[in-house]
Amino acid sequence: MEENEIKNFIKVWISAFISLTYCYFIPMKIPKGKFRFLSLLPVLYLFTFILPFKLRTISLVGGTAFFLTWLANFNLILFSIDKGPLSSSSSSNPPISYSKFISTSCLPIKLKNPSSSSHHQTTTTTNLAIKGLILGLLTIIYEHKQIIHPNLMLVYYCCYLYLCLELLLAIVAAMVSKLLKLDLEPQFNEPFLSTSLQDFWGHRWNLMVPNILKPTVYDPVRYVSVAVIGWKWAPLPATLSTFLVSGLMHELIFYYFGRVYPTWEVTCFFLLQGICVALEILVKKLANGRWRLHPMISRPLTVGFVLVTAVWLFFPQVLRFNGIDRVSNEVAAVVGFFKEAGTTLKLVFRV
């Protein structure tokens, strides 16, 4: 990883920190509505069209784009109407603190509700350590990809992406939890145990995404749809709209990665998932709980469908900008850095 990239990364996050500080002290004093939204527009523009383009390294630009372009922008849009986690009306007395405003606005964290038992499994340190070791092994295996069957490599890409995302978000959440003394929800809940597409996308995979898309996309579309098709069927267009927005946001992040115009296959992937989730909702409403597939059948069907459609529509775009090669090289560079640092420390102590 180049020294200039690290410097740019530091500058980007200093700019983000200053921008969010402005949001806390200025727009917070403006009444909710269009004037607060207008006061936030420069920050929204900065987070979307300026800061992500300052970086080229996938691991850095990916996290920055997800935290700023997606999470922070959507949270600030909710904040403009005094909704969401930054809302003063939804915060307990005293009003939301400065540190909590900054961290909650742009980091993938969700506070646990102590009054109710979470349905998410607690991600233990041992569990994450094992997954970190598996990721390291996968990075070594990638060096010998030329002798591995292409179909096995596609499965490899799915596992690699999942482990990279989970470990990145878990590390960020752990740091915030230690610094702010907060009890946080895990961001992944063993997605390979999903029993349906609703379960996979809504309760197990990258939970910060449904948490932010529900109030910004799903709820407004459902509210409008009720007047047209009624409460019973309103979730269907709301679900499709949510997956469409998710697809478009992924297209934007992929553009940051490769600086190449989208072919819209990623959007098609998420639209397909949304259509199938909507069909699941429809079938469940018609069945009315009369029958349900056994988990031994529904789990492989669910995970298999996601994997097959990802190989078909999602991963061709990852390979288009040489994503796996670049991430593997970055992971190897980080591992090499720590190895070199460890060797240096040993020499120092020997002296």
Side-chain angles (χ1 to χ4, degrees):
M1 197 173 294
E2 296 180 1
E3 184 179 349
N4 285 340
E5 185 77 352
I6 299 296
K7 290 180 179 178
N8 289 338
F9 180 72
I10 294 172
K11 290 177 182 178
V12 163
W13 277 95
I14 289 175
S15 300
F17 178 78
I18 293 171
S19 300
L20 293 172
T21 300
Y22 156 80
C23 293
Y24 182 79
F25 287 104
I26 305 300
M28 180 77 80
K29 306 298 188 291
I30 301 174
K32 65 179 181 179
K34 61 181 180 181
F35 291 111
R36 181 183 286 186
F37 178 75
L38 289 173
S39 71
L40 293 169
L41 274 180
V43 177
L44 300 178
Y45 182 87
L46 181 70
F47 286 178
T48 305
F49 298 107
I50 304 297
L51 296 185
F53 289 105
K54 300 293 184 183
L55 302 169
R56 284 263 179 193
T57 306
I58 284 186
S59 52
L60 297 184
V61 73
T64 298
F66 180 58
F67 298 158
L68 298 182
T69 309
W70 197 329
L71 297 185
N73 278 353
F74 278 59
N75 278 326
L76 291 174
I77 290 171
L78 287 173
F79 172 61
S80 69
I81 55 174
D82 211 22
K83 302 289 185 181
L86 307 181
S87 167
S88 57
S89 61
S90 64
S91 303
S92 58
N93 291 322
I96 185 170
S97 66
Y98 172 71
S99 59
K100 186 178 177 183
F101 182 94
I102 298 295
S103 58
T104 306
S105 61
C106 64
L107 295 179
I109 60 175
K110 182 184 178 184
L111 298 180
K112 280 186 178 179
N113 186 355
S115 62
S116 62
S117 59
S118 173
H119 63 277
H120 304 309
Q121 298 176 2
T122 302
T123 305
T124 64
T125 304
T126 303
N127 190 13
L128 291 175
I130 292 172
K131 290 176 179 177
L133 289 174
I134 294 173
L135 180 62
L137 290 174
L138 290 177
T139 302
I140 296 172
I141 291 172
Y142 191 72
E143 298 175 0
H144 308 284
K145 64 177 181 177
Q146 65 275 5
I147 63 173
I148 302 175
H149 193 279
N151 291 336
L152 287 177
M153 284 304 300
L154 292 174
V155 176
Y156 168 95
Y157 296 148
C158 296
C159 297
Y160 197 89
L161 174 65
Y162 160 57
L163 291 171
C164 284
L165 283 174
E166 177 164 13
L167 290 171
L168 171 64
L169 298 181
I171 289 170
V172 172
M175 291 171 63
V176 174
S177 178
K178 291 293 184 183
L179 289 172
L180 301 181
K181 309 298 182 184
L182 299 174
D183 195 14
L184 305 177
E185 295 276 9
Q187 290 306 309
F188 283 84
N189 184 25
E190 312 301 359
F192 48 83
L193 298 179
S194 303
T195 56
S196 69
L197 290 176
Q198 275 185 286
D199 185 32
F200 181 91
W201 293 111
H203 303 297
R204 292 185 179 275
W205 179 266
N206 198 358
L207 299 177
M208 204 65 222
V209 171
N211 288 340
I212 196 66
L213 288 180
K214 185 178 186 299
T216 53
V217 181
Y218 181 89
D219 289 343
V221 174
R222 183 177 182 180
Y223 178 80
V224 172
S225 300
V226 166
V228 181
I229 57 177
W231 281 103
K232 186 174 183 179
W233 305 112
L236 301 182
T239 299
L240 288 175
S241 299
T242 302
F243 276 92
L244 173 60
V245 172
S246 180
L248 294 174
M249 291 304 299
H250 278 83
E251 295 280 12
L252 179 59
I253 292 175
F254 277 21
Y255 182 75
Y256 295 146
F257 288 155
R259 307 295 202 265
V260 290
Y261 289 104
T263 59
W264 307 112
E265 287 176 284
V266 175
T267 301
C268 290
F269 168 77
F270 283 98
L271 274 177
L272 178 60
Q273 302 300 314
I275 290 170
C276 293
V277 170
L279 288 174
E280 269 190 8
I281 295 172
L282 179 62
V283 169
K284 287 177 181 178
K285 287 182 180 294
L286 295 175
N288 198 24
R290 288 191 293 270
W291 59 272
R292 182 177 298 178
L293 289 175
H294 192 278
M296 292 295 290
I297 299 174
S298 61
R299 281 174 179 165
L301 283 177
T302 300
V303 176
F305 177 80
V306 174
L307 285 175
V308 169
T309 53
V311 167
W312 172 32
L313 294 170
F314 190 88
F315 281 103
Q317 297 310 299
V318 177
L319 300 178
R320 187 179 174 212
F321 55 79
N322 205 22
I324 302 298
D325 273 336
R326 290 166 61 187
V327 171
S328 295
N329 291 336
E330 291 165 15
V331 171
V334 171
V335 172
F337 170 80
F338 282 109
K339 282 184 178 179
E340 185 177 341
T343 302
T344 304
L345 286 174
K346 287 180 181 179
L347 291 174
V348 170
F349 282 117
R350 283 179 184 176
V351 172

